[in-house]
Amino acid sequence: LDNTVEFRVAGSVFVAIENFVYVSGSVALQRKELFVKTVGATATTKMSVLTIGASDVRAFVGIGDADSNNDGAVDDNATLAQNAIGVVVGIDDLAIVLAKPVPVGTVVSTKSYFALSASGSAALIGVDGVQISGRVAISINKGADSAAA
């Protein structure tokens, strides 16, 4: 796709790989152009922006039935503990933004921008006598200039 095409795709997914890896949740992908004012700038810059979002994503890696009720979603931790052994990861919310200034004439910018915000949890499931779980939140906001490297 070139810089003149905007698109958006969103939906729910369920993926099973070899009865060992399962992923389900809602995802969205969008590409568009926006005017953005970066830190320290006095004016806005036209940017080509790609956004990726996800919510209520559950992934399970292990052995056993990760979708015991066949509803197209990875089961909750209590149900998984009865039917499977492995690691479950839950992503409550995920947002990723990739941005690059749109070329002006023949001048191509060497700058790029990246932002990530996510929160979720992970747990070991189905191992008798062992309980390991935790939560994580991450936030990154970076800019880079390859000409300055």
Side-chain angles (χ1 to χ4, degrees):
L1 298 175
D2 64 23
N3 287 342
T4 63
V5 177
E6 292 190 11
F7 71 89
R8 178 178 181 175
V9 178
S12 296
V13 298
F14 179 79
V15 177
I17 302 170
E18 297 293 325
N19 294 324
F20 186 70
V21 177
Y22 300 85
V23 180
S24 65
S26 299
V27 295
L29 175 71
Q30 184 173 16
R31 194 253 171 258
K32 62 183 175 179
E33 292 184 351
L34 299 172
F35 284 93
V36 177
K37 187 173 181 182
T38 59
V39 174
T42 57
T44 60
T45 302
K46 190 174 187 181
M47 300 271 191
S48 176
V49 179
L50 177 66
T51 60
I52 302 166
S55 64
D56 300 324
V57 174
R58 292 184 54 79
F60 174 76
V61 178
I63 56 173
D65 191 355
D67 182 17
S68 62
N69 61 357
N70 295 316
D71 67 349
V74 173
D75 292 334
D76 61 55
N77 288 12
T79 305
L80 281 171
Q82 296 172 0
N83 300 310
I85 298 172
V87 175
V88 65
V89 174
I91 300 173
D92 302 327
D93 294 294
L94 168 76
I96 299 172
V97 178
L98 304 166
K100 188 158 182 68
V102 172
V104 178
T106 59
V107 179
V108 177
S109 176
T110 56
K111 296 180 180 180
S112 61
Y113 303 90
F114 169 78
L116 164 71
S117 179
S119 64
S121 60
L124 179 64
I125 298 292
V127 179
D128 291 335
V130 178
Q131 186 174 21
I132 300 173
S133 64
R135 293 203 48 82
V136 67
I138 186 170
S139 182
I140 300 170
N141 192 355
K142 280 187 80 149
D145 188 346
S146 62

